Amino acid sequence: MKYLLDANTYIQAKNQYYGMDICPAYWDWLDKQFANGIVGSIAMIGRELKDGNDDLAEWVKLRPGHFMSNDDSATQAVFAQIVSQVMAGSYNQANRDNFLAKGDPWIIAKAKVLDATVVSHESLIVEGTKKVKVPNICAEFSVPCIDTFTLLRELQASFKL
């Protein structure tokens, strides 16, 4: 797997620019990328998305193979390092706890283990902030992090009528 998708990339695509009703080609393209082993995500992200009550939740439920296990020992070891580093930071406690309770640290850990790139719509924020953000933690662990549009350009996606 070369790219691991964060939950927000699915949610924003569904809610905004690649709605399942207006751009089914995007979702078909994702299926092809998964089948080719280029794009994936982790089980924790899949669980977050399945908790919804919408078309995206149903789409995810039909694709359990797109969401790989994140409970292997190598991923757990990196996850523990991420937790230690985040806990040692001077982050807002509620923001920190929310970050650690979700799939974010797990997807970063899995990407580190797989030498993959995280795809997220969170933005890198200035050092010293009180918020924990995926791109910042990725940078601390030397994990590349890009957004969906960069992913589409890197993989030369094209949706034509």
Side-chain angles (χ1 to χ4, degrees):
M1 213 53 61
K2 188 171 179 178
Y3 299 94
L4 296 180
L5 303 179
D6 193 3
N8 62 28
T9 63
Y10 294 96
I11 295 165
Q12 286 185 18
K14 178 203 57 106
N15 289 341
Q16 298 173 357
Y17 39 86
Y18 296 125
M20 296 176 145
D21 59 335
I22 60 170
C23 192
Y26 172 77
W27 303 94
D28 293 341
W29 178 83
L30 274 182
D31 281 335
K32 288 177 186 167
Q33 300 310 308
F34 284 116
N36 291 331
I38 296 169
V39 171
S41 195
I42 59 167
M44 190 99 169
I45 298 295
R47 282 193 295 276
E48 286 179 23
L49 296 172
K50 283 190 275 189
D51 285 345
N53 187 22
D54 58 11
D55 291 341
L56 178 57
E58 293 306 313
W59 187 88
V60 170
K61 288 174 190 173
L62 294 172
R63 291 158 176 83
H66 290 194
F67 301 90
M68 69 185 81
S69 172
N70 50 272
D71 61 0
D72 58 280
S73 59
T75 301
Q76 288 184 14
V78 176
F79 172 77
Q81 294 171 6
I82 291 170
V83 170
S84 293
Q85 192 150 329
V86 169
M87 291 300 290
S90 59
Y91 299 110
N92 168 284
Q93 183 178 348
N95 182 264
R96 178 198 69 204
D97 293 349
N98 186 52
F99 174 86
L100 293 174
K102 303 252 180 177
D104 292 342
W106 288 103
I107 199 167
I108 297 166
K110 190 67 167 184
K112 178 75 173 173
V113 168
L114 296 177
D115 196 27
T117 297
V118 171
V119 181
S120 176
H121 281 297
E122 289 188 11
S123 297
L124 189 67
I125 52 179
V126 295
E127 194 174 317
T129 186
K130 298 294 182 187
K131 291 185 177 182
V132 186
K133 292 292 186 180
V134 168
N136 292 70
I137 303 303
C138 281
E140 289 181 36
F141 283 85
S142 300
V143 173
C145 185
I146 61 174
D147 64 21
T148 298
F149 304 109
T150 303
L151 170 73
L152 293 170
R153 286 185 179 95
E154 285 186 11
L155 296 181
Q156 300 177 337
S158 179
F159 310 120
K160 297 177 183 177
L161 294 176

